[in-house]
Amino acid sequence: MALLKSLLNRHIFYNTPRVIIPAVRLFSTDVKPAEDDAPADIENPYKKERKQCILCKLNIKPDYKNYRLLSQFQSPYTGRIYGRHITGLCKTKQEQVEAEISKAQNCAYMPYYYKDKTFLKDPKLFDPSNPVRSHRF
Amino acid sequence: MPAYEFAMMFRAMPKSELKTCLKRVSQAIFDRGGIIKNIENLGFKPMPYKTSSHGLVHREANYFVLKVDTATQAVADLKEEYSRDVDIIRQRVYKVQDETENSACTLEEEMLPPAYREDVQKMIKIGKTQVNRFTYKFKYNSGLDYYPFQK
């Protein structure tokens, strides 16, 4: 019965005259020229902001007389300077910080083997236990 | 005349003595044709480590920074003179770096994965010009009729 029905349907569908819709679409207003409709030439709005290290962002030049800032890059346990993968500084700034710290230590502004206890509660610029690159310490 | 910074540490002493000491120190600079632009007093404070000089151990010091313009030849002379001064515990001289315009931060390039970093690419390029000694095999048809290495 179902087969008969489908056959009948197909026969009728193919043989009945149908309305042919033309490809041209009709508008009540004038069609704009294509140039106006072209995509606007703008900057990529989704472009990410350029990453900068904290000293470059705030435009700070490390100085051996500013030993309070320098002591923030020093370990409170051993007095050693944290590496670039922990401090998150760019290469040039890290080099400058290391040079200035050794200057400050030489001038007896900063201790070699510990961090000045008055600076222990200074705000943390980075988290030593969460480095950019993993390390074995 | 290039700019120098004299970081000086004077022994603990009363203010009047410190005054004469500073005068003596600056007079030495003037005698050699130098100019003092600024004298900074960083205060009297305990030193982070004890320092012995002229037969005494010092645990506190008067910190001063002198900003000086002087001839380069005079600096060694001044250092020698200050080293003989009993009131000066410690002295360091640093040349002031001229203010160069700071280059852009390169952190973005440094955070890229290794294959995209310029210095790593350079290393790979150099490595390709070298003989890899782990995979290098001596060729017997090289003209030598004996094996040149220890077997």
Side-chain angles (χ1 to χ4, degrees):
Chain A
M1 189 66 205
L3 185 80
L4 193 89
K5 203 173 178 183
S6 70
L7 268 175
L8 208 85
N9 256 349
R10 204 175 282 169
H11 186 77
I12 290 161
F13 183 75
Y14 281 117
N15 288 315
T16 45
R18 279 175 292 157
V19 180
I20 293 157
I21 302 159
V24 180
R25 294 167 75 187
L26 300 168
F27 294 99
S28 57
T29 53
D30 291 340
V31 179
K32 282 181 209 160
E35 284 150 31
D36 270 16
D37 211 20
D41 191 27
I42 55 163
E43 248 182 282
N44 182 6
Y46 301 106
K47 200 181 170 188
K48 275 185 186 165
E49 207 176 305
R50 205 180 148 76
K51 258 186 248 163
Q52 276 192 316
C53 69
I54 187 158
L55 294 185
C56 286
K57 201 192 283 167
L58 303 173
N59 199 14
I60 296 167
K61 197 170 181 288
D63 185 29
Y64 71 98
K65 282 164 283 170
N66 188 1
Y67 47 89
R68 186 162 192 172
L69 171 79
L70 295 177
S71 76
Q72 285 181 305
F73 297 100
Q74 208 183 18
S75 165
Y77 306 108
T78 60
R80 296 200 61 180
I81 308 165
Y82 282 122
R84 199 152 55 86
H85 60 292
I86 296 172
T87 59
L89 296 178
C90 68
K91 243 177 210 173
T92 47
K93 286 287 175 192
Q94 178 75 17
E95 261 168 36
Q96 282 174 7
V97 163
E98 280 169 15
E100 296 300 313
I101 284 178
S102 68
K103 264 188 191 178
Q105 286 172 335
N106 222 322
C107 283
Y109 295 154
M110 249 169 97
Y112 283 99
Y113 287 110
Y114 61 96
K115 188 163 156 172
D116 197 327
K117 68 172 186 290
T118 51
F119 302 150
L120 281 178
K121 283 184 180 167
D122 279 355
K124 303 277 175 286
L125 301 181
F126 47 83
D127 182 11
S129 58
N130 189 17
V132 176
R133 206 156 17 84
S134 62
H135 56 91
R136 51 194 185 89
F137 308 115
Chain B
M1 285 195 290
Y4 292 95
E5 273 179 15
F6 283 69
M8 314 283 268
M9 278 128 267
F10 298 102
R11 69 177 174 84
M13 51 186 157
K15 221 170 188 178
S16 55
E17 268 185 61
L18 192 64
K19 205 168 150 188
T20 54
C21 189
L22 271 173
K23 268 186 191 164
R24 194 171 63 237
V25 164
S26 39
Q27 193 58 48
I29 294 166
F30 297 141
D31 287 346
R32 286 165 183 81
I35 306 159
I36 298 178
K37 291 190 286 188
N38 188 14
I39 298 180
E40 258 180 75
N41 185 3
L42 302 185
F44 177 69
K45 51 186 180 177
M47 297 181 98
Y49 42 85
K50 63 179 183 182
T51 306
S52 62
S53 67
H54 304 289
L56 279 172
V57 176
H58 302 273
R59 288 161 202 278
E60 290 132 343
N62 289 294
Y63 285 80
F64 279 89
V65 175
L66 316 183
K67 292 185 178 164
V68 177
D69 271 8
T70 180
T72 312
Q73 284 94 340
V75 172
D77 208 13
L78 281 170
K79 275 168 88 172
E80 193 269 334
E81 186 170 331
Y82 294 155
S83 71
R84 281 187 282 114
D85 199 323
V86 184
D87 292 334
I88 297 170
I89 299 170
R90 204 177 169 85
Q91 42 132 349
R92 288 284 177 275
V93 184
Y94 295 119
K95 199 171 177 178
V96 176
Q97 260 74 39
D98 46 335
E99 287 293 311
T100 46
E101 81 239 44
N102 39 359
S103 51
C105 193
T106 53
L107 187 70
E108 180 102 15
E109 284 82 52
E110 286 161 31
M111 297 291 281
L112 289 170
Y116 295 95
R117 267 183 254 147
E118 208 171 284
D119 49 342
V120 174
Q121 282 169 356
K122 208 179 271 174
M123 270 198 292
I124 291 168
K125 210 173 175 186
I126 291 167
K128 276 185 181 159
T129 62
Q130 311 290 310
V131 176
N132 188 348
R133 59 193 184 84
F134 295 108
T135 55
Y136 174 72
K137 198 124 196 317
F138 177 72
K139 289 192 190 75
Y140 285 89
N141 61 357
S142 59
L144 284 176
D145 55 351
Y146 64 94
Y147 185 72
F149 308 114
Q150 218 170 24
K151 267 198 175 163

